[in-house]
Amino acid sequence: VRGIHINWTQVLPTAQRVPLPTYAFQHQRYWLDRSVPAAVIEAANTNTHPLAATVVNIPDTGGVILSGRIATATHPWLLDHAVSGTILLPGAVLAELAVHAGDETGTPTLEELVIGQPVVVPTGGALQLHVLVGVEEGGRRDVRVYSRADAGGSWTEHATGTLSAKSLLPASDPAIPWPPAGAEAIALDGFYDGMAAAGYEYGPAFQGLRAVWRDGKDVVAEVAVPESQAGVAGRFGIHPALLDAALHVGSFCLPAPSGERVTLLPFTWNDVQLHASGATSVRVRASAPVGQTLTVSITDPQGVPVATIGSLELRAISAEQLGALSPSAGIESLHVVEWTEHSQVIPAERWGVLGSDQYRDVHAYAADPERPGVLLADVSTWDHSEDPVARAHALAAQALMLVQGWVTRPDLTEERLVLVTTGAVSRGSVPTDPAAAAVWGLVRSAQSEHPDRLVLVDADDRSPSTLAIAAGITVSELVLRGGRAQTPRLVPAPAGQRAAAELNPDGTVLITGGTGTLGALTARHLVSAHGTQHLLLTSRRGLDAPGAAKLAAELGVDVRIVACDVTDRDALDGLLDSIPAEHPLTAVVHTAGALDDAVLTDLTPERLAAVLAPKVDALLNLDTLTRAANPAVFAVYSSATGVLGTAGQAAYAAANTFADALVQQRRDAGLSGVSLAWGLWADYSELSAGLGGTDRDRTRRGGVVPLTADEGMALFDAVALRADSPALTVPMTLDLASLRSAVSSGDAVPTLLRTLVPAPRRSLAGQAVPVESLHTRLVGLSDEEQKAVLTELVRDHAAAVLGHGDREAVGPDDAFFEIGFDSMTAVQLRNRLATATGLRLPAAQLFDQPTPAIAAEDLRDRLAAARTAPADPTDER
């Protein structure tokens, strides 16, 4: 928005204020109709705080919540406050907001404000700010400052402090000469260039120093906001750019740094009082009585007090620490799986069980006329091999055959298959069976493709009561421990500084898949950001891999690129033996992987085995052969596919849930290990090269935002290089607004992602037609009229799946697989139609009904059959 023009037709005589959009006056230029009374313009212009437009009084406590929204698009002056390449919300903003909140609650003095985590301003999008003031106790109130991404998510606490009702106005003394007698002028030539060299990259809005003098141990100065900000200064208590520039005076007071460059930021504010508001130019007196602590007094040009800061303690921060706090690659992009109690379990009375050698026997179960509605498959009994590699491959292949047989039987659409494992999930116990964890990944993807057909349960025993609970659950995943049921949800990772650890520069870092996109990216980052000097990169082709020689030259350090199949234990053992003793193995980053996207019904055991190998076979070799070296870092590049159960990626999901469980085993054994279950990357890699524009658009509409290289490496530092990181972290940027939209529109959204957004309220305004309304609408219509209604329904959903705006993009006789559909989008449309009609539709629905008109005829026949079918009095489901 470059300008706003307001046309006024009438102003009521009693009008005192006009509730305009809060952003209307947050620009440097705007145009107004001349007929608007100046008093009305002034009232609208000064009515709200530029950064906290809303004030909500909290009943009973007398506290308040100040809320606002900041973005570089609406507050472009914030772009002028960058530190070490990161745009930061000035600490002066947090202090000014806290004082503003104190004014609203009769506690105007900021006794203390501790900034625990700086606020990083995103270059795109916006942040929501909240300032909370609590209950009054002894003339004091707690104050806290929070932010979160505008799209939603959890709140991050940035500052906490105390407000006080005590206030003291210093005496004015306009008679004091200015500048003080005997003060020595300090030249400002090159001052802000020197600040930039120290990490303070201030633009014009924050270059407020006009003149500086040294007066004994104090430094005095003249400071002003730039002309572009003078018009808005009256809406602040004190404009943050003015207050921040006043702190620049401290640069002449503080002891000169020794050694490396030190970048200081405000840490603890004490006894901050604002005596007058709206200043545009001030005089400042500052001193540094102790270490990195400033005392500051601010007056207007006549010597009348404007503000005082009893003390301000500064703390050093590194560029790496700031990079790890990026809002697009920070706490909002880090997630963990949390298990919560689930009480809505009603044990089933009847169920069938497939034992150790019956994983193929779906047909016999379906042929049983007395079959119960639930079949339990005891996965952990299927294979007793002591070789973990062989067991993982066997269980995954057997689960694939069972589930394929189940979902392709149209006569089993009303039954549920429950796969029961032991030791696949770490919840109150160590995962003792990573092979069973691979089954969880595979089945999670199958659940996304075939909703409400499959269930996963990890139980610690096989008692009848436990099996009864397993058979009776209605959720997609459950863990049973001692009879207690728990379900997973995805939650933001706990807040923290997430600073990168130091890597031993004399040690060797092994990166598998090191010549691939992610492996090479990681190698470059470790060299440029962490000073790594010794790299060992492996791939199947070694130096013959495309770009390998160029990468080695670019890195400019001691780097070896070796052809080694890490799934070959002997070859890997020989490679590790070749690492020189003077540069021992200190870090392992396993990025190698293989991808073979296919819907579940197209997947074969051979294709599954090829995808499992780089994660199962190779990772077990790495785990076993590096235990003696015990590297400080053991980071595995896993995928959110395994955690979420991405449709069309059952093999890859199986491989990565195995990896996640194996890393958890390492951690429980006291070894290093983190598994990073990455979301989608923006840069195409060998693994994502097969994703076309339609696939990426579908992912984006589902709420997953691709990670840039810089964001990914900041997340790597925040997780892989911290000993206290969880064993499994999901680095994935989410657009919760898109996610909410996907859930509301009925798209197949993974269960764990649904836990991040509230259940949508039923909308009466959208195009989605409730099942009951659809059935009612069809009653009384002729066959042709019903077909017309259902054809429109199919076209609506087909257009939505393909990302089109309306049904006109899909003709009634268009062949689905000629207008952009593939196996994956066919599954997605089948699921949407099942939800819209309340029908259980077969897996091959769109293959058998290839156009919207033909599919509509089939739906009409199925709905008619469902209306005439007699109810089963014994069916309690």
Side-chain angles (χ1 to χ4, degrees), residues 235-478:
R235 297 173 60 202
F236 290 96
I238 180 170
H239 196 299
L242 184 66
L243 179 55
D244 193 85
L247 302 181
H248 300 172
V249 180
S251 301
F252 302 98
C253 307
L254 297 171
S258 59
E260 296 183 0
R261 184 190 84 178
V262 176
T263 304
L264 302 173
L265 292 182
F267 177 63
T268 303
W269 302 73
N270 290 107
D271 297 326
V272 180
Q273 295 186 73
L274 182 64
H275 311 295
S277 62
T280 57
S281 62
V282 294
R283 296 173 178 175
V284 178
R285 178 175 291 273
S287 62
V290 179
Q292 309 288 358
T293 301
L294 295 176
T295 295
V296 181
S297 64
I298 304 172
T299 70
D300 69 8
Q302 287 72 45
V304 178
V306 171
T308 53
I309 303 172
S311 67
L312 172 59
E313 181 183 349
L314 306 172
R315 288 279 179 92
I317 191 167
S318 68
E320 290 77 14
Q321 288 174 310
L322 288 172
L325 295 172
S326 169
S328 58
I331 189 62
E332 294 298 334
S333 295
L334 292 177
H335 303 83
V336 294
V337 177
E338 179 181 272
W339 293 83
T340 58
E341 296 295 325
H342 182 75
S343 58
Q344 300 175 355
V345 174
I346 302 175
E349 295 183 1
R350 295 180 64 238
W351 64 87
V353 178
L354 289 181
S356 59
D357 58 350
Q358 296 177 308
Y359 55 86
R360 300 172 186 261
D361 204 12
V362 173
H363 301 288
Y365 171 79
D368 182 0
E370 302 297 326
R371 67 177 185 260
V374 180
L375 178 64
L376 300 180
D378 197 355
V379 174
S380 294
T381 65
W382 287 351
D383 187 279
H384 298 285
S385 172
E386 295 184 1
D387 180 349
V389 172
R391 178 171 168 78
H393 282 268
L395 288 188
Q398 291 163 2
L400 174 64
M401 285 185 280
L402 170 64
V403 174
Q404 282 180 331
W406 186 268
V407 301
T408 53
R409 290 293 301 251
D411 52 340
L412 294 179
T413 55
E414 298 300 321
E415 277 76 20
R416 282 182 296 118
L417 174 64
V418 181
L419 292 94
V420 184
T421 61
T422 297
V425 177
S426 175
R427 185 58 194 157
S429 60
V430 179
T432 56
D433 195 357
V439 173
W440 273 61
L442 185 144
V443 175
R444 280 172 174 160
S445 286
Q447 289 172 330
S448 295
E449 297 180 31
H450 303 276
D452 305 322
R453 302 284 310 274
L454 306 163
V455 175
L456 285 164
V457 174
D458 194 75
D460 53 0
D461 66 60
R462 293 296 186 277
S463 66
S465 60
T466 296
L467 295 179
I469 293 174
I473 72 167
T474 56
V475 295
S476 59
E477 297 181 23
L478 200 75

Side-chain angles (χ1 to χ4, degrees), residues 625-641:
L625 297 177
T626 63
R627 289 203 170 204
N630 192 20
V633 173
F634 192 98
V636 176
Y637 279 21
S638 177
S639 171
T641 294

Side-chain angles (χ1 to χ4, degrees), residues 54 276 297 350 373 411 490 536 556 568 688 734 743 774 823 856 872:
T54 304
S297 64
R350 295 180 64 238
D411 52 340
L490 199 65
L536 177 57
D568 184 333
S688 63
L734 295 173
V743 172
L774 175 64
S823 296
D872 183 356

Side-chain angles (χ1 to χ4, degrees), residues 705-770:
V705 181
L707 290 165
T708 67
D710 288 343
E711 291 167 351
M713 289 299 94
L715 291 169
F716 174 85
D717 287 347
V719 176
L721 302 184
R722 282 193 55 186
D724 60 344
S725 291
L728 172 63
T729 303
V730 185
M732 176 174 58
T733 300
L734 295 173
D735 178 352
L736 295 186
S738 295
L739 183 57
R740 281 191 292 268
S741 177
V743 172
S744 298
S745 65
D747 282 338
V749 175
T751 302
L752 282 188
L753 286 184
R754 286 177 177 268
T755 64
L756 291 170
V757 297
R761 185 178 290 110
R762 186 169 67 91
S763 172
L764 300 179
Q767 292 186 350
V769 180

